Amino acid sequence: MKSNRRLITFIAMHTDIVDLRQFYHSELGRLAEHSIAMALSSLWVRLPQERLVGVGYAVPFLDRFSADTERTFAFMPAGQGAVNWPVGSLSSTALIFDEELPLPDSSIDRVLMVHSLEFAESPRETLKELWRVLAPGGRLVIVVPNRRGVWARMEHTPFGSGRPYSRGQLTHLLRETNFTPGASAEALFFPPSKLRTVLSLRRAFERIGRTLWPAFSGVIIVEAQKRLYQGLPVAARASRRVFVPVLAPHGVPTTRSR
């Protein structure tokens, strides 16, 4: 007698672009941005004349790195929505499907993923697509919610949505998709509270947390390099998405004269 196995697919709804902007404009969001940015700076000091792409909602951090780059793009998933970036300048934003990026092979030097991988329908396909567009020796940095951390359990922040990861899971996924994991960092050791008394102790929580409980950080940050000595199998795949423009032009209905 054959047993039937049901394949359960984890499908996470993207956090809406409006909610993401509101969070990073709040006091809690600004402090979270600062903590993550400091951890990112320890991995990427400067990006001299390199091509950088932010995938997901990386806008709060792109401003810190774009000054030294040759060019910087903000790729935002269709399920999330997009906003114009940079503000007050020609837009460098694109609305994308993360398994089919509008870029040629080996065209990007670095990729920063924030609020992205935890919402991917197929994380492996997403990382394979990033492998394709990265140049030889290109680097990828992923920021994901830590499944052991408190932030992944609180729904009033964007880090409480989607699929959280452990460091081991993320490392295994990167190796499976032909990346070599390298340096890593942690951030968000302070509780995701809106109380000013708690937020005033953020620096102490961050400093002590890195020393005493690094496994319980709010996010895990891992840098990986594109590996070249083992090729990925090439297979044609059809897109599972059909995009309809938001402002699709429709002709004015005409009435026939009798």
Side-chain angles (χ1 to χ4, degrees), residues 10 118 144-149 152-153 159-166 169 218 220:
F10 184 94
E118 61 266 35
V144 290
N146 180 7
R147 64 181 302 178
R148 294 183 178 180
R153 293 168 171 78
F159 302 99
S161 302
R163 179 197 299 105
Y165 285 85
S166 67
Q169 288 174 325
I220 300 170

Side-chain angles (χ1 to χ4, degrees), residues 92-106:
S92 296
T93 301
L95 196 67
I96 54 97
F97 174 41
D98 55 11
E99 293 181 21
E100 294 181 4
L101 299 180
L103 292 170
D105 296 354
S106 303

Side-chain angles (χ1 to χ4, degrees), residues 117-238:
L117 190 65
E118 61 266 35
F119 300 109
E121 184 175 340
S122 177
R124 287 177 179 81
E125 290 298 321
T126 296
L127 290 179
K128 287 178 181 179
E129 180 68 355
L130 292 177
W131 187 95
R132 180 186 69 80
V133 302
L134 276 169
R139 296 182 180 275
L140 163 69
V141 164
I142 304 177
V143 180
V144 290
N146 180 7
R147 64 181 302 178
R148 294 183 178 180
V150 177
W151 287 72
R153 293 168 171 78
M154 299 296 177
E155 295 183 354
H156 65 279
T157 82
F159 302 99
S161 302
R163 179 197 299 105
Y165 285 85
S166 67
R167 188 182 300 276
Q169 288 174 325
L170 188 56
T171 299
H172 179 73
L173 182 60
L174 286 166
R175 287 174 176 163
E176 272 191 337
T177 50
N178 248 5
F179 285 95
T180 301
S184 63
E186 301 87 14
L188 302 186
F189 291 97
F190 67 98
S193 172
K194 296 181 181 180
L195 298 175
R196 290 184 176 274
T197 53
V198 176
L199 296 180
S200 64
L201 300 173
R202 177 188 63 88
R203 293 181 183 275
F205 274 113
E206 294 293 296
R207 184 176 62 255
I208 297 172
R210 288 190 181 91
T211 304
L212 298 183
W213 56 82
F216 298 99
S217 61
V219 296
I220 300 170
I221 306 171
V222 175
E223 182 190 42
Q225 188 171 23
K226 178 177 179 176
R227 190 168 62 200
L228 296 176
Y229 57 82
Q230 179 182 350
L232 288 173
V234 177
R237 65 175 188 261

Side-chain angles (χ1 to χ4, degrees), residues 38-58:
M38 292 300 99
L40 287 172
S41 298
S42 67
L43 301 180
W44 286 354
V45 180
R46 293 185 63 217
L47 309 179
Q49 295 303 304
E50 295 191 352
R51 292 156 291 181
L52 170 65
V53 168
V55 178
Y57 188 72

